[in-house]
C-alpha cells in the first residue's frame, strides 16, 4: 500500500478489532491500525496480506497512528470498556484536531459516553458511541452497527458504516440512532433482549429434555425444523448445531452435556434491568433472564438444595407431539413479549431524553449481523413503520392476533412445567406480562389502598377527580394538605 493517508483508523486489536479493521479494508477503505502491543499490529497487517492484500497498514505509536489518517480523522477504538477507553482517548486525542471524530465501539454505559463527549467538546473533537453486535464473525463479515453522536459526525462516518454493516433485503443494518448515548442505549437493550431470548430457548430445551425425554439428536432436529418457520433466527439456528455437536474432548456423547450449568454475564443485561426500573418500564422477561443467570451461578448451593427441597413425584401424562407443538407457540409468543419490553424501554428513554429514536429503524438494525437477528424483526419493523407511536408492540393488530391465537398453547406449557417441577421463569414472566397488560382492571387498587392505610400516600378514585385520603380506622388522623403528600411521587414520575 502507498503512503497515502488512510480513510479511517482502528485502535485496539483484539479479535473484534482485527476483524472489523479487515472488514473495512475488504470494502475498499484504506485502514490504519494501532494497538498497545505491536505484535497484534503485525498480526493484523499479515492477515490483511493473507486475505487478499487488503489496504491496511500498521503503526507503532499513537502519534504515528493518527498521522497516517486523512483529515478530518475518523478513529474507531475497540478496547475494553471503562478506564482503558479513557486512557486510549487521552493518548489519541493529544494528537488530534478540531473536526476529528472518535468512535467507541465497545459495550459502554451511556453516561460514560456522554461524559467523554463533553470532555472532548472543548477540543472540537466529535465523539460517537457505537454499539456493535455480531461477535467475531459479524465484525468481519458485517455486524449490526448502532451509532449515537453528533449528526455531522455521523454524516462523515455513514459511507463507511453503511458498507461495512450487515446487509439485508432493505439495506444496511445501521443508521443514525440519535445524540451521543443513544447508540449505547440501543445496544444495551439489544443485549437485554439477547439475555431473554437465550433464557427462553434454554427453558424450552429443558422441557424437551426433562419432560418430553428427547435425545440431543431429536432436539437438534426439532430446533432445526423450527428455524424453517416463524422462529427462524440466529439463536435457534445455533441451538440446533450446538445440540448435535459430538464431544471433541472425550469422543463420547455431546459437548453441551459436559458444559457446566453456570451462565456468565458481562453487565449489559444488568444495566438493561436497572434502566427499566429507572424509566418505570416493566421488563419482566428480561429481568427473569438475568435472575436465572444469578441462580445458575450458585451451583454449589443448588446441589445442596437438591438434597433437601423436593419437587413433584408424579407428572402429567401429555401427548409429546402436543407438547412440542405448544412449545413452538409459547416460545414465539414469549419472544414477542421480550421485544415489546425492550423496545418499550428504548421508547421511554428516548422520550425522556428527547433522542427521537426510530423504533422501526432499531428493528431494521437488528435484522442482520447481530445475535438477536430473526425473521420476527420484519414484522416488528412493519408494525412501527405503520405506527411510530405504537404504545406497545403487543397491540399491533398483527401481533395481537398472533398472541391471542397462541394463548392457550402458552398456558398449557406453563401448566405442564409447574406440575412437573420444571422452572420456566422467562416463559412465565412473558405470559404474566401479556395477562397484566391486557387487563383493564388490576388488583393495584388494593395495593394503593394499603399504601394509603399505612403511609397516608393517598389514592385516586374511579368516580371523581383528585387525590383522596381515607381515615381507615379511628387511629388515623387528618393528613393536612393532600397535594404536599403527592408532590414527591409526582416529581419521581416526571
Amino acid at each position: 500500500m502507498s503512503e497515502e493517508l488512510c480513510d479511517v483508523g482502528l485502535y485496539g486489536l483484539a479479535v473484534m478489532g482485527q476483524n472489523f479493521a479487515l472488514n473495512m479494508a475488504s470494502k475498499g477503505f484504506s485502514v490504519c491500525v494501532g494497538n498497545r502491543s505491536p505484535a497484534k499490529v503485525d498480526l493484523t497487517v499479515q492477515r490483511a496480506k493473507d486475505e487478499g492484500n487488503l489496504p491496511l497498514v500498521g503503526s507503532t505509536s499513537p502519534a504515528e497512528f493518527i498521522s497516517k489518517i486523512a483529515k478530518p480523522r475518523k478513529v474507531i477504538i475497540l478496547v475494553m470498556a471503562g478506564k482503558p477507553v479513557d486512557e486510549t482517548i487521552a493518548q489519541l486525542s493529544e494528537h488530534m484536531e478540531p473536526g476529528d471524530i472518535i468512535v467507541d465501539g465497545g459495550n459502554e454505559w451511556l453516561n460514560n459516553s456522554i461524559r467523554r463527549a463533553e470532555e472532548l467538546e472543548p477540543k472540537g473533537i466529535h465523539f460517537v458511541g457505537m454499539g456493535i453486535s455480531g461477535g467475531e464473525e459479524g465484525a468481519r463479515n458485517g455486524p449490526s452497527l448502532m451509532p449515537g453522536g453528533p449528526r455531522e459526525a455521523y454524516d462523515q462516518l455513514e459511507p463507511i458504516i453503511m458498507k461495512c454493516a450487515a446487509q439485508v433485503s432493505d439495506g444496511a443494518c445501521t443508521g443514525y440512532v440519535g445524540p451521543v448515548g443513544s447508540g449505547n442505549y440501543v445496544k444495551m437493550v439489544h443485549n437485554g433482549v439477547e439475555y431473554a431470548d437465550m433464557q427462553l430457548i434454554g427453558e424450552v430445551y429443558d422441557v424437551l429434555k426433562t419432560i418430553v425425554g428427547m435425545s440431543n439428536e431429536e432436539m437438534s432436529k426439532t430446533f432445526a425444523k423450527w428455524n424453517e418457520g416463524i422462529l427462524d433466527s440466529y439463536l435457534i439456528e445455533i441451538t440446533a448445531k450446538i445440540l448435535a455437536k459430538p464431544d471433541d474432548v472425550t469422543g463420547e456423547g455431546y459437548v453441551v452435556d459436559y458444559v457446566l450449568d453456570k451462565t456468565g454475564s458481562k453487565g449489559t443485561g444488568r444495566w438493561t434491568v436497572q434502566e427499566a426500573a429507572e424509566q418505570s418500564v416493566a421488563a419482566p422477561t428480561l429481568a427473569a433472564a438475568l435472575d436465572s443467570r444469578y441462580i445458575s451461578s450458585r451451583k454449589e448451593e443448588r446441589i445442596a438444595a437438591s438434597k433437601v427441597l423436593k419437587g413433584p413425584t408424579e407428572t402429567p401424562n401429555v401427548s409429546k407431539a402436543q407438547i412440542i407443538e405448544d412449545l413452538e407457540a409459547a416460545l414465539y409468543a414469549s419472544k414477542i413479549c421480550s421485544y415489546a419490553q425492550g423496545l418499550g424501554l428504548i421508547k421511554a428513554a428516548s422520550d425522556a431524553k428527547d433522542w427521537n429514536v426510530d423504533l422501526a429503524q432499531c428493528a431494521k438494525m437488528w435484522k442482520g449481523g447481530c445475535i438477536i437477528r430473526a425473521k420476527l424483526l420484519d414484522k416488528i419493523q412493519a408494525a412501527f413503520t405503520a405506527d411510530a407511536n405504537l404504545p406497545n408492540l403487543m397491540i399491533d393488530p398483527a401481533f395481537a392476533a398472533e398472541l391471542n391465537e397462541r394463548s392457550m398453547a402458552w398456558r398449557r406449557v406453563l401448566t405442564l412445567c409447574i406440575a412437573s417441577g420444571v422452572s420456566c421463569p422467562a416463559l412465565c414472566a412473558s405470559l404474566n406480562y401479556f395477562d397484566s397488560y391486557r387487563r383493564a382492571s388490576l388488583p393495584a387498587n388494593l395495593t394503593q389502598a394499603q399504601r394509603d392505610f399505612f403511609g397516608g400516600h393517598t389514592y385516586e378514585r374511579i368516580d371523581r377527580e383528585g387525590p383522596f385520603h381515607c381515615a381507615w380506622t379511628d387511629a388515623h388522623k387528618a393528613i393536612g394538605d393532600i397535594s404536599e403528600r403527592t408532590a414527591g411521587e409526582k416529581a419521581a414520575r416526571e
Side-chain angles (χ1 to χ4, degrees):
M1 182 176 168
S2 69
E3 291 301 315
E4 292 181 6
L5 295 178
C6 294
D7 298 316
V8 62
L10 191 143
Y11 198 92
L13 295 174
V15 178
M16 280 286 288
Q18 289 181 37
N19 283 356
F20 195 60
L22 292 167
N23 177 354
M24 291 188 289
S26 68
K27 299 301 189 300
F29 300 102
S30 54
V31 183
C32 178
V33 296
N35 194 72
R36 186 175 57 179
S37 60
K40 288 186 177 179
V41 174
D42 296 339
L43 174 61
T44 308
V45 171
Q46 186 60 50
R47 283 188 63 189
K49 290 179 181 177
D50 294 342
E51 295 183 24
N53 287 319
L54 301 176
L56 184 147
V57 297
S59 61
T60 58
S61 68
E64 184 187 12
F65 171 71
I66 295 299
S67 73
K68 290 186 174 183
I69 305 169
K71 300 178 184 179
R73 302 177 182 93
K74 293 172 280 291
V75 174
I76 299 170
I77 58 175
L78 277 169
V79 299
M80 189 180 300
K83 188 177 179 181
V85 176
D86 290 316
E87 292 173 345
T88 302
I89 290 174
Q91 292 170 357
L92 299 180
S93 63
E94 181 181 344
H95 309 286
M96 298 176 75
E97 301 173 8
D100 289 349
I101 304 165
I102 293 178
V103 181
D104 175 22
N107 281 330
E108 188 57 90
W109 179 237
L110 79 151
N111 289 335
N112 284 340
S113 287
I114 294 170
R115 169 180 59 79
R116 288 166 185 149
E118 292 172 347
E119 291 171 352
L120 288 168
E121 188 174 6
K123 298 181 179 180
I125 298 173
H126 299 303
F127 183 82
V128 175
M130 182 171 71
I132 301 178
S133 177
E136 298 171 10
E137 180 184 349
R140 179 64 183 86
N141 300 313
S144 170
L145 301 173
M146 297 155 261
R151 182 74 205 209
E152 58 186 296
Y154 170 80
D155 289 342
Q156 294 186 55
L157 294 166
E158 186 178 58
I160 297 174
I161 65 175
M162 280 290 178
K163 277 194 174 183
C164 297
Q167 306 293 318
V168 291
S169 59
D170 56 344
C173 294
T174 190
Y176 183 62
V177 176
V180 68
S182 60
N184 300 107
Y185 204 95
V186 170
K187 175 56 165 61
M188 174 195 75
V189 173
H190 163 286
N191 285 23
V193 173
E194 179 185 305
Y195 274 48
D197 207 349
M198 294 170 73
Q199 177 63 27
L200 290 166
I201 292 170
E203 291 172 16
V204 168
Y205 155 74
D206 197 10
V207 175
L208 292 172
K209 180 180 180 180
T210 307
I211 299 178
V212 182
M214 294 176 74
S215 68
N216 284 40
E217 285 289 345
E218 289 172 327
M219 288 187 289
S220 174
K221 290 177 182 177
T222 298
F223 277 102
K225 181 181 178 182
W226 284 348
N227 197 51
E228 296 173 357
I230 57 173
L231 290 174
D232 178 4
S233 66
Y234 173 72
L235 286 170
I236 294 290
E237 176 190 344
I238 68 169
T239 299
K241 294 178 180 178
I242 289 168
L243 289 169
K245 180 67 176 177
D247 185 46
D248 55 351
V249 176
T250 65
E252 298 179 3
Y254 298 86
V255 176
V256 69
D257 296 320
Y258 289 94
V259 177
L260 184 65
D261 56 327
K262 290 174 66 173
T263 307
S265 60
K266 290 188 175 180
T268 47
R270 182 180 73 250
W271 293 347
T272 306
V273 174
Q274 288 173 335
E275 262 299 302
E278 286 292 329
Q279 298 297 335
S280 299
V281 171
T285 309
L286 280 59
L290 181 65
D291 288 341
S292 295
R293 293 197 180 197
Y294 293 153
I295 290 175
S296 79
S297 70
R298 297 180 177 272
K299 176 69 173 179
E300 294 76 16
E301 291 182 33
R302 289 188 288 112
I303 291 173
S306 70
K307 300 172 183 177
V308 180
L309 304 176
K310 304 300 179 184
T313 55
E314 298 180 4
T315 56
N317 184 14
V318 183
S319 160
K320 292 184 178 181
Q322 183 67 59
I323 297 173
I324 294 168
E325 183 180 333
D326 287 349
L327 280 170
E328 182 180 23
L331 180 53
Y332 182 71
S334 297
K335 283 167 67 74
I336 293 171
C337 291
S338 173
Y339 279 103
Q341 293 162 34
L343 291 165
L345 176 54
I346 292 173
K347 184 179 188 302
S350 177
D351 290 345
K353 302 174 188 297
D354 198 27
W355 283 341
N356 197 31
V357 175
D358 182 345
L359 297 184
Q361 181 174 271
C362 288
K364 180 186 174 185
M365 288 190 294
W366 295 345
K367 282 165 57 174
C370 71
I371 305 303
I372 64 171
R373 60 185 184 266
K375 183 177 180 180
L376 173 63
L377 284 158
D378 285 319
K379 295 180 181 179
I380 295 175
Q381 182 183 1
F384 285 105
T385 298
D387 182 1
N389 296 312
L390 189 67
N392 189 296
L393 181 64
M394 294 190 297
I395 64 171
D396 168 75
F399 281 116
E402 290 189 316
L403 288 168
N404 291 337
E405 179 186 348
R406 291 165 175 78
S407 174
M408 291 312 299
W410 206 354
R411 297 177 198 284
R412 286 194 295 269
V413 167
L414 298 189
T415 301
L416 176 64
C417 288
I418 293 167
S420 304
V422 173
S423 59
C424 54
L427 287 167
C428 197
S430 300
L431 181 58
N432 285 337
Y433 177 75
F434 169 79
D435 278 338
S436 295
Y437 196 78
R438 69 174 180 78
R439 293 183 61 191
S441 296
L442 291 170
N445 56 322
L446 176 59
T447 306
Q448 190 61 24
Q450 291 170 331
R451 296 183 73 237
D452 188 52
F453 185 104
F454 66 70
H457 292 291
T458 76
Y459 64 93
E460 296 176 87
R461 295 181 63 90
I462 61 174
D463 59 349
R464 61 196 67 192
E465 296 292 326
F468 291 84
H469 170 67
C470 178
W472 296 95
T473 68
D474 292 341
H476 286 87
K477 307 297 181 183
I479 61 173
D481 187 351
I482 291 180
S483 63
E484 292 182 0
R485 304 285 294 188
T486 59
E489 289 193 16
K490 185 172 182 289
R493 288 195 299 270
E494 294 175 349

